[in-house]
Amino acid sequence: MTSTEVEAISINVVKSLGLAVGLIQIIMGLFKANYLISYLSDQIILGFTTGAAVHVLTAQLNKILGVALPRHSGIGKLFFIYQDLITAIIGEKVNVITFGASVVAIVILYISKYILTPRFCAKTLVPIPFDLFLIVIGTIIADWFQVEERWGVKVVGDIPTGFPNPALPDLFMFRHVIGDALAIAIVSVVVTVSMGKVIAKKHNYEIDVRQEFFALGIVASTCSMFPCWPATTALARTLINDNAGTKTQVRFIFKFNFRNNNAKLEKLKN
């Protein structure tokens, strides 16, 4: 089997998985399964989001150190990952350039968020996208110095432009992915609702859990016509958008919430 055939099969599996996840979430919404999740206590939600944050951080550590780790699954996965990380550090397999660039990026983002941003908020209503500037400058530096060829630093590489042609997923693969789809459908909703409740409590409003079932189900079903993973909440991106004052997806494209920025400005003055 050629690499092209393997890639085509993998894409079909992903698309079938996405459709299965979407249909399961829509069915759960129709049968009002939201009541099973809406009664999650604040302690469970905070514990779940904290645990998810630990897993997200752990998943990024090998990329920060520039080491390749074997895959683990099942109980104790987190401890095996840390064991492999410690072994890689002791064995001096860390890519020094990758680690140095990661540390510099973290320091720059920390200074930008906690030192520069409060000062600029007092002078301008438009938030300055330090994250975007860092990505652009880092891309230029990586290309200029050819860090992949010289020091083995992993880069994203070429990104294809445009959209792939839509195509229906293979329905005959459902029987192979239905078990994983059920687990993904439940976990993705729990993650979304948990993060949503944390933000809702912070800003004093309520979320409609049943609506989240339908929203995620429709997104997953529609995206299954393209090679896309089933969607769920991105913890880090959600917090970044919340700190930036984001209210809607439309605002993320072109609109700024001047009322929130004015409130922040008055808070800084006081």
Side-chain angles (χ1 to χ4, degrees), residues 63-94:
K63 300 175 181 63
I64 293 175
L65 299 175
V67 297
L69 299 180
R71 284 183 171 271
H72 296 286
S73 60
I75 300 176
K77 173 183 176 180
L78 207 64
F79 299 102
F80 289 125
I81 293 177
Y82 280 106
Q83 180 182 1
D84 293 335
L85 284 171
I86 295 173
T87 302
I89 295 173
I90 296 175
E92 298 181 352
K93 297 180 181 179
V94 176

Side-chain angles (χ1 to χ4, degrees), residues 101-181:
S102 301
V103 172
V104 170
I106 293 173
V107 171
I108 291 175
L109 291 175
Y110 182 86
I111 294 174
S112 302
K113 177 177 176 62
Y114 294 103
I115 299 178
L116 298 180
T117 298
R119 295 182 179 180
F120 280 110
C121 282
K123 299 180 180 180
T124 177
L125 297 177
V126 180
I128 300 177
F130 291 105
D131 312 64
L132 179 61
F133 291 157
L134 181 62
I135 292 174
V136 173
I137 294 173
T139 302
I140 294 174
I141 294 176
D143 182 66
W144 181 271
F145 289 99
Q146 298 180 345
V147 294
E148 184 179 23
E149 292 79 5
R150 291 185 178 182
W151 299 294
V153 177
K154 289 187 177 181
V155 298
V156 175
D158 295 331
I159 300 177
T161 59
F163 291 94
N165 295 324
L168 293 175
D170 188 358
L171 301 180
F172 293 101
M173 286 190 177
F174 269 30
R175 59 189 180 91
H176 299 292
V177 300
I178 191 64
D180 294 324

Side-chain angles (χ1 to χ4, degrees), residues 1 17 113 151 164 169 187 201 217 230 262:
M1 187 177 294
L17 179 66
K113 177 177 176 62
W151 299 294
V187 171
K201 185 177 181 180
N262 286 330

Side-chain angles (χ1 to χ4, degrees), residues 22-71:
L23 293 178
I24 290 173
Q25 290 171 336
I26 293 174
I27 292 173
M28 293 174 71
L30 292 174
F31 282 93
K32 298 182 179 181
N34 50 294
Y35 289 111
L36 300 176
I37 298 178
S38 59
Y39 290 109
L40 292 177
S41 65
D42 293 341
Q43 291 77 10
I44 293 177
I45 291 175
L46 291 176
F48 184 85
T49 52
T50 301
V54 172
H55 278 272
V56 171
L57 173 63
T58 303
Q60 302 303 318
L61 289 178
N62 67 315
K63 300 175 181 63
I64 293 175
L65 299 175
V67 297
L69 299 180
R71 284 183 171 271

